Amino acid sequence: MTTVTPMVKAEGVSKSYGSNLVLRSISLEVMPGEVLCLVGPSGSGKSTFLRCINHLEEVNAGRLFVDGELVGYREKNGKLYELHPREAAAQRKDIGMVFQRFNLFPHMTALENVMIAPQLHKKAEKTVLKAEAMDLLAKVGLADRHDYYPSQLSGGQQQRVAIARALAMKPKLMLFDEPTSALDPELVGEVLEVMKELARSGMTMVVVTHEMGFAREVADKLVFMDGGVVVEAGDPTQVLTNPQRERTKAFLRKVLK
């Protein structure tokens, strides 16, 4: 019988800043093609956990694997040794990440922003990269804005360029850290629609979000975090409509008004 390697596997992951324990022995799995949504109050550790997945944050205990490969460390004789920054960056090429803020290069057009990472990594000839970047902009509905600079784009358009840029390296995993939280309400839908299309295409995604409707519609698994622990996890509809834990119920009463 063939066993499928989880795309993300966390084993007892803990993270602290000084005496502040932000993650407390988090263990979970995301299988290839699945969408996992992380929800919970601010300060619950969701974004920190997301950043640990691609080693933007070091873990203090436990292990994180992406597609079977230990992230950020090398294990030898039962001890973990942190990878050289260059090696960690090489691992990150397979993981796309979209942040709350768009972080686009202001002096580059939308097309140039999407092309820059594969160009730096010499993925292909410039003409090929340009064609691929145009395809990605078309995918997020912005082919007609390819020569616009970030200052000429709305927040929603900038975030869609950021998604296209993250996809340019052909990642096996996409991480989204509250990608709509900095947007005006009327612009949220256009970004969520791009993310829904990504999910339909089979992209493995871990999404930190406050958009419960999106989580219910798109997620295969919903994880509610609070105080650095997984309080409740399961089928999104089940967790949202029939939560088992009192802490989950209290949180949902506030956000599902």
Side-chain angles (χ1 to χ4, degrees):
M1 185 175 176
T2 305
T3 56
V4 179
T5 301
M7 184 58 72
V8 178
K9 184 174 184 177
E11 297 178 344
V13 171
S14 295
K15 170 68 180 176
S16 60
Y17 298 102
S19 61
N20 182 22
L21 192 56
V22 180
L23 299 176
R24 304 165 186 262
S25 196
I26 301 288
S27 294
L28 55 80
E29 290 185 356
V30 185
M31 301 308 291
E34 281 188 338
V35 177
L36 171 73
C37 280
L38 296 169
V39 302
S42 296
S44 59
K46 309 180 302 295
S47 294
T48 299
F49 177 68
L50 200 73
R51 292 170 65 84
C52 287
I53 293 175
N54 65 357
H55 202 58
L56 289 177
E57 296 283 357
E58 302 171 15
V59 300
N60 299 115
R63 288 162 172 73
L64 263 167
F65 299 86
V66 170
D67 202 16
E69 183 179 4
L70 184 62
V71 172
Y73 297 89
R74 182 182 295 105
E75 188 167 4
K76 188 175 181 181
N77 299 325
K79 286 189 174 183
L80 294 181
Y81 299 89
E82 190 171 9
L83 295 179
H84 186 279
R86 192 180 297 113
E87 295 175 285
Q91 280 188 332
R92 238 175 254 128
K93 287 191 296 184
D94 292 326
I95 305 172
M97 188 160 183
V98 178
F99 299 87
Q100 295 179 32
R101 294 289 171 181
F102 326 120
N103 297 321
L104 298 178
F105 295 111
H107 62 290
M108 293 182 179
T109 64
L111 181 63
E112 290 167 340
N113 265 283
V114 176
M115 288 177 64
I116 184 66
Q119 268 186 292
L120 290 174
H121 288 92
K122 299 179 174 60
K123 283 281 186 182
E125 292 294 324
K126 190 172 181 179
T127 52
V128 174
L129 293 179
K130 184 175 181 179
E132 290 178 349
M134 283 298 295
D135 284 344
L136 286 171
L137 287 172
K139 194 173 192 174
V140 299
L142 290 172
D144 62 337
R145 298 286 193 273
H146 72 276
D147 56 350
Y148 282 45
Y149 289 90
S151 61
Q152 298 172 300
L153 299 171
S154 70
Q157 289 170 335
Q158 289 184 60
Q159 193 64 297
R160 284 187 280 156
V161 172
I163 293 173
R165 181 179 61 180
L167 292 171
M169 291 295 286
K170 301 180 173 64
K172 61 178 76 168
L173 169 67
M174 284 287 287
L175 308 176
F176 292 88
D177 187 8
E178 298 187 30
T180 60
S181 65
L183 300 178
D184 292 333
E186 66 268 23
L187 301 177
V188 168
E190 64 188 57
V191 174
L192 293 181
E193 195 52 49
V194 170
M195 293 171 64
K196 289 175 189 177
E197 188 54 44
L198 264 185
R200 287 190 285 266
S201 74
M203 175 63 75
T204 310
M205 297 161 57
V206 182
V207 184
V208 173
T209 185
H210 292 295
E211 301 291 338
M212 297 300 160
F214 172 84
R216 187 197 300 259
E217 181 181 348
V218 178
D220 298 290
K221 293 178 184 173
L222 183 70
V223 168
F224 170 63
M225 289 180 64
D226 189 31
V229 301
V230 173
V231 177
E232 192 161 346
D235 174 80
T237 301
Q238 176 69 26
V239 174
L240 291 173
T241 60
N242 189 27
Q244 301 302 299
R245 304 287 182 140
E246 284 304 318
R247 182 64 190 95
T248 316
K249 292 176 184 177
F251 173 75
L252 293 175
R253 277 197 295 269
K254 291 180 179 178
V255 300
L256 295 178
K257 288 178 182 177

